[in-house]
Amino acid sequence: MSIANRRRRELRAAILLIAPFVIVFAVFFLYPTYKVVALSFTNAPLIGEGDWVGLANYTKLLSDKLFFTSLWNNLYFVLLTVIPTTVIALLIALTVSKLRGRMQALALTLFFLPYVLPVSVVTMIWSWMLDFQFGVLQPLIMAVTGKAVPVFKNPHWVMPMIAVVTIWWTNGFNVLLLIAGLRNISPDLYEAAALDGATPWQRFWRITWPLLWPVTALVLTLQLILQLKLFDQVYLLSNGGPFNQSYVVLMQMYREAFQLNHGGYASAIAMVLFLVIVIVSVLQFQLLRMGGRK
């Protein structure tokens, strides 16, 4: 068989192998993305065609106080969750990594179990535990504040408590990533450092932290993207209230699209959120990479 015929066969085989992915990617990602971009420049309803309005939807966003409120709530939630959940996951991973055998497997199972629960179950569990009258955690809140607090109806408590629920729910995945990073660090490095008289803190700061930094940067970036897309927990626990204190960008997009039938304006909100996520996540990842090189 000639070289040309062999290359043609290899090319056909390669096309057949990647064709399913390309088709699925084009149908379920590229085409919807194109439609969202196109709709954002129209006054179309959720279903149907609309008239071209250019940048009118984006101009309207600049004067939409509710949009800026929801964007601030998103950023506030990021501050409440991204770094705390990473620190907690790191502490858990360091603790679990010292266990062996069945104890380690049991600990990993217990920490990962909440992650596999659907959001409806998670919010139901926490709604029951934090119920104003019968919640099993209300005595703890009363010990701190002196009175029971309807946390999901209180403007000062609502976002921090949703952050607590989110950290409890999603942190198992971060623990697994960090455990995998810890297992990639050679035990010989710790043995050599111990022979040189290094303290546990020195071993962590000089060995564990630098070698675990790439995984930590990945966890921080994934958490940033995930928390900027906040919707489910807020919708089920507080529905954006009280007084819009937990109203987030995806809730406004949902309201404009599915309740007010403003498909074009909702698409513009989606595009702005997409750009915010891309810009912020890329900047964070680059800053983390620079910090890891120092």
Side-chain angles (χ1 to χ4, degrees):
M1 181 184 298
S2 66
I3 295 177
N5 288 336
R6 187 188 308 158
R7 287 180 177 175
R8 279 195 293 269
R9 288 187 61 182
E10 291 175 352
L11 180 61
R12 284 196 297 268
I15 292 173
L16 288 173
L17 289 171
I18 66 173
F21 167 77
V22 172
I23 293 171
V24 171
F25 183 75
V27 171
F28 293 102
F29 181 79
L30 289 182
Y31 179 70
T33 301
Y34 159 74
K35 288 297 293 183
V36 169
V37 174
L39 280 174
S40 70
F41 295 103
T42 70
N43 61 359
L46 182 62
I47 299 176
E49 300 296 327
D51 298 323
W52 179 268
V53 295
L55 296 174
N57 289 325
Y58 294 96
T59 304
K60 182 181 176 181
L61 273 178
L62 296 177
S63 58
D64 190 341
K65 293 183 179 179
L66 186 58
F67 173 73
F68 285 102
T69 298
S70 62
L71 185 61
W72 162 250
N73 288 336
N74 270 89
L75 297 176
Y76 177 47
F77 190 78
V78 165
L79 292 176
L80 289 173
T81 54
V82 173
I83 294 179
T85 193
T86 305
V87 172
I88 293 171
L90 178 59
L91 294 175
I92 294 172
L94 289 171
T95 303
V96 172
S97 66
K98 297 183 182 299
L99 301 176
R100 293 293 180 268
R102 293 182 179 178
M103 287 299 298
Q104 187 179 74
L106 176 62
L108 285 174
T109 301
L110 291 175
F111 285 118
F112 189 74
L113 183 61
Y115 185 72
V116 303
L117 296 176
V119 64
S120 56
V121 175
V122 171
T123 53
M124 187 179 298
I125 291 171
W126 282 89
S127 295
W128 171 72
M129 290 196 300
L130 293 168
D131 183 79
F132 179 64
Q133 292 181 310
F134 309 107
V136 296
L137 294 182
Q138 279 296 336
L140 180 61
I141 295 175
M142 292 177 65
V144 176
T145 64
K147 61 180 180 179
V149 179
V151 291
F152 298 120
K153 296 181 181 180
N154 185 298
H156 303 294
W157 282 74
V158 60
M159 286 301 273
M161 290 312 301
I162 294 175
V164 169
V165 174
T166 302
I167 291 172
W168 178 84
W169 177 35
T170 61
N171 216 23
F173 181 68
N174 302 327
V175 172
L176 286 184
L177 289 177
L178 291 167
I179 285 285
L182 288 170
R183 287 179 176 175
N184 283 329
I185 300 175
S186 174
D188 296 339
L189 296 174
Y190 294 110
E191 292 177 6
L195 290 173
D196 289 337
T199 63
W201 171 251
Q202 289 173 329
R203 292 198 293 270
F204 169 78
W205 191 248
R206 298 296 183 181
I207 299 174
T208 306
W209 181 246
L211 295 178
L212 196 61
W213 178 251
V215 179
T216 308
L218 175 64
V219 169
L220 286 167
T221 303
L222 291 176
Q223 284 300 307
L224 176 66
I225 296 171
L226 179 66
Q227 308 312 344
L228 282 173
K229 297 190 298 179
L230 173 70
F231 175 76
D232 299 344
Q233 308 93 291
V234 170
Y235 182 76
L236 293 170
L237 289 171
S238 67
N239 200 27
F243 313 115
N244 295 329
Q245 289 300 306
S246 62
Y247 199 80
V248 291
V249 175
L250 281 182
M251 285 203 68
Q252 185 178 13
M253 186 181 72
Y254 171 81
R255 175 176 174 269
E256 294 289 341
F258 295 98
Q259 296 179 349
L260 302 179
N261 200 31
H262 297 159
Y265 191 54
S267 298
I269 295 173
M271 289 307 303
V272 171
L273 179 61
F274 172 74
L275 292 175
V276 168
I277 290 174
V278 170
I279 292 170
V280 173
S281 59
V282 169
L283 285 176
Q284 175 188 273
F285 191 71
Q286 293 301 322
L287 289 173
L288 292 174
R289 285 185 62 189
M290 292 171 59
R293 292 172 182 171
K294 293 181 180 180

